[in-house]
Amino acid sequence: MRCEYGFGVFGATGTVGRAGLEAAGQLGIGVDVLAAAGNVEGMLQLYAQHHPRLIIMADDAAAAALAERLPAGAGCRVEHGDEAMCAAAAGCATMLAAVSGAAGLDSVLAAAGEGRRILLANKEALVLAGDHVLAAARAAGGQVVPVDSEHNALAELLLLAADRRDAIERVWLTASGGPFLNHPGDLEEVSPEAAVRHPVWSMGAKISVDSATMMNKGLEVIEACRLFSLTADQVEIVVHPQSVVHAIVEFADGGCLAQCAPADMRSTIARAIAWPEIPAVRFGRIDWRKLGSLQFQQPDNDRFPCLQLAYQALAAGGSAPAVLNAANEVAVHSFLRRELNFSAISKVVAETVAAEAGAADTLSDLVAADSKARAYAGRAIKVSSLC
Ligand code: MG
């Protein structure tokens, strides 16, 4: 298929999408396609700043509302729905995949199938069907560049250590620990507002809650295994509240290489855009004289069981990672709507994985497992007294 567009941002009105637009703007890259779920006001703002040729809203009412409010003669087409989203992704030379959750999978697969360059912030797509996404991209001659800061850092370390890959024994991903790392009391009653108040990174609601439960790091372990062909016992997690070090590779002799960068998504996305070059823009810098101390500590698996649930799902294989991801999305959205306690998120996930995970050979097996897991988790939340 002909490449109709240059750069497209999918999930444009979210935090990563906006950071990506800023990074691209600083690098002098215009944007042709913007896609989002239903945020009309946000999209109007982005239209005024970036003048894309095509806007896609997942929601048809949002698309109609947007089309009505665009200035006459705007020269911008407005489309809606999953099919339009996929066609646009397949037609972009480079897509920033920043849709949150499994909803982003189809457009990523569409771009992968056409061999496009995918700057991947949507870790759920890799957790749900990573092998299929990566195989499709490889077969079509495309490229998947991780935008998740730890994986972006790891990609860089592995590039630097390419001649010594056989001597790498394991890798470390850092976790900030989220807002409840040092929370004094019970986590039972913490509010959605407190959970989304991340101490270091500015992020959307879903990933902020994932960060607070440590599920984000669990999903990232799976993401790292998929992206870099690692096994679960080669990926270690260490809590590092300052988020200065993002990833570490450890060699057979105990020597380590660590990647450090300012904790700013614009910086990570600029790196992904320019990959494998170093971008010609800077978003902050680390003043090592002012850092004081950097801390590293063991994750607390008793208080935050989600990380271990992800390791277990990875070990179980089959549909287990897809089921884990689906149950987590349902539980997190219920928590954000105050229908579920914070500490019940991990319980819903564990129960759903125990009930629904099984063999899955094909992409359609995984997609079916995803939707069955969503239904199961929804029922589990309704019948439980977890809220
Ligand atoms: Mg991350």
Side-chain angles (χ1 to χ4, degrees):
M1 192 177 113
R2 200 167 63 86
C3 204
E4 203 175 335
Y5 306 105
F7 187 53
V9 179
F10 293 70
T13 52
T15 318
V16 174
R18 288 172 188 277
L21 286 165
E22 208 180 319
Q26 294 268 331
L27 286 165
I29 296 169
V31 61
D32 288 332
V33 177
L34 292 177
N39 181 350
V40 175
E41 295 302 325
M43 190 55 92
L44 279 168
Q45 258 177 26
L46 293 182
Y47 170 79
Q49 289 161 1
H50 301 282
H51 301 287
R53 290 158 55 201
L54 172 64
I55 293 177
I56 303 135
M57 305 300 282
D59 183 77
D60 59 344
L66 182 79
E68 220 165 79
R69 292 181 57 191
L70 282 182
C76 173
R77 233 168 47 248
V78 178
E79 296 178 358
H80 65 87
D82 203 40
E83 220 168 282
M85 199 83 84
C86 290
C92 284
T94 302
M95 84 177 293
L96 172 59
V99 169
S100 169
L105 175 65
D106 289 347
S107 52
V108 167
L109 276 169
E114 290 296 331
R116 305 306 185 208
R117 194 155 189 268
I118 304 172
L119 314 181
L120 191 70
N122 176 252
K123 68 190 79 181
E124 293 92 343
L126 280 188
V127 173
L128 168 51
D131 293 343
H132 297 274
V133 170
L134 296 169
R138 251 192 317 271
Q143 188 182 35
V144 176
V145 185
V147 166
D148 212 341
S149 58
E150 298 80 359
H151 304 71
N152 189 275
L154 197 49
E156 184 167 342
L157 290 169
L158 293 172
L159 179 72
L160 289 171
D163 294 342
R164 298 168 167 187
R165 178 86 194 224
D166 291 346
I168 293 172
E169 215 165 69
R170 55 183 178 170
V171 305
W172 295 78
L173 304 179
T174 59
S176 69
F180 304 136
L181 177 63
N182 299 311
H183 188 77
D186 204 334
L187 291 173
E188 196 77 12
E189 299 301 330
V190 295
S191 67
E193 290 76 13
V196 300
R197 218 174 293 131
H198 197 276
V200 182
W201 295 96
S202 162
M203 307 184 290
K206 197 266 175 178
I207 188 175
S208 295
V209 176
D210 284 346
S211 176
T213 63
M214 291 288 282
M215 181 58 95
N216 183 49
K217 221 39 65 174
L219 299 177
E220 289 186 0
V221 170
I222 301 172
E223 183 185 8
C225 289
R226 305 263 205 249
L227 278 171
F228 305 112
S229 302
L230 297 164
T231 56
D233 59 358
Q234 290 178 304
V235 183
E236 300 282 351
I237 298 299
V238 61
V239 173
H240 166 47
Q242 294 81 16
S243 296
V244 171
V245 178
H246 302 294
I248 299 161
V249 293
E250 182 181 328
F251 296 99
D253 70 340
C256 295
L257 274 182
Q259 198 270 0
C260 309
D264 187 320
M265 276 317 294
R266 295 171 303 175
S267 172
T268 315
I269 299 168
R271 279 178 165 257
I273 292 173
W275 175 264
E277 307 298 323
I278 298 295
V281 291
R282 177 198 294 279
F283 296 95
R285 72 167 83 210
I286 300 168
D287 187 342
W288 293 92
R289 289 162 302 204
K290 291 186 180 153
L291 269 184
S293 60
L294 296 181
Q295 296 155 315
F296 297 90
Q297 63 198 70
Q298 182 91 20
D300 183 342
N301 292 323
D302 294 331
R303 294 196 92 197
F304 304 101
C306 285
L307 177 58
Q308 286 309 307
L309 291 177
Y311 270 109
Q312 287 158 12
L314 190 56
S319 70
V323 171
L324 169 104
N325 177 64
N328 181 60
E329 281 189 32
V330 172
V332 168
H333 289 298
S334 294
F335 167 70
L336 287 168
R337 291 194 302 267
R338 296 173 205 281
E339 294 163 9
L340 192 70
N341 276 336
F342 180 79
S343 46
I345 295 173
S346 62
K347 293 176 188 157
V348 169
V349 173
E351 194 186 316
T352 309
V353 173
E356 291 287 334
D361 297 324
T362 64
L363 179 61
S364 54
D365 289 346
L366 291 168
V367 172
D370 170 275
S371 70
K372 275 187 74 192
R374 281 168 202 275
Y376 185 97
R379 286 195 303 275
I381 291 164
K382 266 199 194 114
V383 300
S384 72
S385 52
L386 299 173
C387 53

